């Protein structure tokens, strides 16, 4: 009986409050962004695990590879005002 009471009455349960926890800003620097991608909370229900994320990205990559290749245009050329002769 004492063992159950000791497990239920853990003093750390009252001392540690995770309600204001936040992500470690140095996590990606330590692990490396090559191996970790963070998705937004609203997407978690659609992508519950790594396999679902990979399947979705593979289908997008396959569809993108079937599109015709577009000619690269620099941002400067697109945003430059056109000269008009008046």
């Amino acid at each position: 009986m004492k063992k159950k009471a000791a497990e239920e009455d853990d003093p750390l349960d009252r001392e540690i409050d995770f309600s204001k926890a936040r992500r470690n800003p140095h996590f990606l620097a330590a692990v490396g962004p090559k191996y970790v991608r963070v998705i937004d909370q609203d997407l978690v229900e659609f992508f519950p695990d790594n396999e679902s994320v990979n399947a979705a990205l593979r289908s997008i990559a396959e569809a993108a590879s079937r599109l015709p290749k577009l000619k690269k245009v620099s941002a400067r050329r697109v945003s430059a005002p056109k000269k008009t002769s008046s």
Side-chain angles (χ1 to χ4, degrees):
M1 288 301 244
K2 278 189 172 183
K3 191 173 189 179
K4 281 188 180 180
E7 289 176 3
E8 293 173 5
D9 191 30
D10 188 4
L12 291 180
D13 287 343
R14 291 184 298 273
E15 292 179 18
I16 300 174
D17 179 22
F18 290 107
S19 64
K20 295 180 184 174
R22 57 188 174 98
R23 293 184 180 164
N24 183 346
H26 307 289
F27 174 74
L28 287 179
V31 175
K34 182 177 179 181
Y35 302 108
V36 175
R37 299 294 185 251
V38 179
I39 61 173
D40 292 333
Q41 281 299 118
D42 59 332
L43 296 173
V44 171
E45 67 183 70
F46 299 109
F47 303 107
D49 53 13
N50 292 337
E51 290 80 23
S52 61
V53 173
N54 289 333
L57 290 174
R58 282 190 181 100
S59 64
I60 291 171
E62 182 184 341
S65 68
R66 287 190 241 144
L67 292 174
K69 301 293 179 196
L70 299 176
K71 180 180 164 188
K72 290 186 179 180
V73 179
S74 71
R76 174 177 283 160
R77 197 178 321 160
V78 170
S79 63
K82 301 199 186 252
K83 294 180 182 178
T84 58
S85 57
S86 335

